[in-house]
Amino acid sequence: MITVHVVNQISDYDAWKQAFDRYDGARRDHHVLAYRISQPADDDHAVYVDLDFQSRHDADEFVHLLERIWRTPLSRAVATGHPDPELRELREQRTVTT
């Protein structure tokens, strides 16, 4: 599995999330299997998004789409910045039980 890791700098989470949700169809159409949204516990102005893909090709294609999305007025209105997305390959995942 390949994950596209995205860091967004934002000023308002609710406004950002509303804009993010508008792209549900694009995520589905571009083969996103799952995604996770998280924030640092001590920074309300950063949002991390991890999007999972079955293949590197699908992840690369989505990064190109993401670059186009970031140039839209809606995206520029809710995100103040972001570094380039990072591709990560899952090596191991384990559920720990007690």
Side-chain angles (χ1 to χ4, degrees):
M1 179 180 338
I2 298 290
T3 298
V4 175
H5 177 74
V6 179
V7 177
N8 291 288
Q9 295 300 317
I10 63 165
S11 57
D12 179 322
Y13 178 82
D14 292 332
W16 174 87
K17 181 64 166 72
Q18 188 174 34
F20 179 85
D21 289 346
R22 291 184 66 174
Y23 291 97
D24 280 341
R27 284 187 289 277
R28 184 178 47 254
D29 293 347
H30 286 83
H31 311 288
V32 174
L33 301 173
Y35 68 82
R36 290 165 303 287
I37 299 171
S38 61
Q39 286 187 285
D42 59 354
D43 184 358
D44 291 342
H45 299 289
V47 175
Y48 304 145
V49 180
D50 292 304
L51 303 116
D52 298 332
F53 297 86
Q54 187 64 41
S55 73
R56 171 75 186 256
H57 173 78
D58 289 341
D60 286 335
E61 290 295 314
F62 190 80
V63 168
H64 294 300
L65 172 66
L66 190 56
E67 291 167 347
R68 290 193 307 269
I69 290 170
W70 283 344
R71 290 191 296 266
T72 67
L74 177 61
S75 180
R76 286 186 291 203
V78 298
T80 59
H82 36 73
D84 290 338
E86 182 178 281
L87 296 182
R88 298 177 176 183
E89 187 170 357
L90 180 65
R91 296 292 186 192
E92 183 174 336
Q93 179 172 321
R94 183 181 302 184
T95 301
V96 178
T97 59
T98 56

